Amino acid sequence: MLSSIGIPGLILILVIALIIFGPSKLPEIGRAFGNTLKEFKKSTNDLIGNEKEEKTNFEEKTNFEEKTIE
């Protein structure tokens, strides 16, 4: 998605953001955006990790039940 913007597009976006928010608010906005992305990535990794853990537990339980039946 962002790969199609290019350098001129990014410069234009930065200039517009600078005009709208001013130079003092831009670092705060960038920091907040970075924290949001970090939290999103952390949550996504937690969900993926939980899913893999549940799958592993299910497989272990299934293998255990198969061994007890034989």
Side-chain angles (χ1 to χ4, degrees), residues 48-64:
I48 290 172
N50 288 341
E51 184 177 310
K52 287 181 181 178
E53 184 178 314
E54 288 176 3
K55 183 177 179 182
T56 304
N57 289 341
F58 178 75
E59 289 173 352
E60 289 174 356
K61 182 180 177 184
T62 306
N63 289 338
F64 178 75

Side-chain angles (χ1 to χ4, degrees), residues 1-63:
M1 184 173 122
L2 292 176
S3 62
S4 63
I5 292 176
I7 300 296
L10 289 175
I11 292 172
L12 181 64
I13 290 170
L14 286 173
V15 168
I16 291 172
L18 187 61
I19 291 170
I20 292 174
F21 298 110
S24 62
K25 287 284 187 183
L26 235 46
E28 292 176 28
I29 294 170
R31 208 171 296 119
F33 184 70
N35 287 337
T36 302
L37 285 178
K38 186 170 74 172
E39 287 294 322
F40 179 76
K41 185 176 179 181
K42 181 181 173 187
S43 298
T44 304
N45 288 338
D46 286 345
L47 286 174
I48 290 172
N50 288 341
E51 184 177 310
K52 287 181 181 178
E53 184 178 314
E54 288 176 3
K55 183 177 179 182
T56 304
N57 289 341
F58 178 75
E59 289 173 352
E60 289 174 356
K61 182 180 177 184
T62 306
N63 289 338

